[in-house]
Amino acid sequence: MHVDGTVIGQVSVEQSLIVSQSGRVIGDIFAGKVIVNGIIDGSCHATSIEILENGQVKGTIYTDDLSIERGGKFNGDTKPSEKEHVVELSPKENKEQAPVKQTSNS
C-alpha cells in the first residue's frame, strides 16, 4: 500500500506500507514492513521499519528491525515487536468451575 495523501485511522496491511514524502498517517499502523518518507503520528507495529531522509515518526514503534537514515526524525519510544495478540474471551477458571445447583428444602 502506498500513501500519498492523509490517512486518519488504523491502517492494517499484510505486506508493505510506504508513506511517501507527501503522505501522512495519523493513527495506528500494523504492517509487515513500513517505509516512511512522510509523516506518521501514532503507534507502528511492523517486522521492519525504515525512516528515510524526509521521514518523521512520532509515537511508539514496535519492531525488532529499525533503521533511520540521516535526516530522518523519530520522537517517541521503541519496544520489541509483539509476537502475538491473544484475546481470551472468558477466564479459564470460569470454564473449569462446575455449575452451582441450588436446592430448596420445602
Side-chain angles (χ1 to χ4, degrees), residues 21 36-37 49-56 66-74:
Q21 192 168 350
V36 186
N37 207 26
I49 299 173
E50 295 179 38
I51 302 174
L52 303 181
E53 181 180 5
N54 297 305
Q56 298 177 38
L66 172 64
S67 66
I68 304 173
E69 285 187 0
R70 177 171 287 189
K73 296 180 174 93
F74 171 56

Side-chain angles (χ1 to χ4, degrees), residues 15-106:
Q15 299 295 320
S16 296
L17 174 68
I18 300 169
V19 181
S20 70
Q21 192 168 350
S22 62
R24 180 178 186 137
V25 177
I26 301 170
D28 297 338
I29 295 173
F30 298 87
K33 181 175 186 176
V34 177
I35 299 172
V36 186
N37 207 26
I39 298 171
I40 293 177
D41 190 351
S43 67
C44 191
H45 304 255
T47 305
S48 172
I49 299 173
E50 295 179 38
I51 302 174
L52 303 181
E53 181 180 5
N54 297 305
Q56 298 177 38
V57 176
K58 180 181 177 185
T60 303
I61 291 179
Y62 297 87
T63 189
D64 292 326
D65 183 6
L66 172 64
S67 66
I68 304 173
E69 285 187 0
R70 177 171 287 189
K73 296 180 174 93
F74 171 56
N75 185 7
D77 297 320
T78 58
K79 298 188 178 187
S81 65
E82 297 174 339
K83 301 294 181 196
E84 296 180 24
H85 296 282
V86 178
V87 177
E88 193 170 316
L89 298 177
S90 60
K92 286 182 182 179
E93 56 200 35
N94 287 349
K95 292 179 183 176
E96 295 172 0
Q97 289 179 350
V100 176
K101 293 183 181 180
Q102 292 183 344
T103 58
S104 64
N105 294 335
S106 354

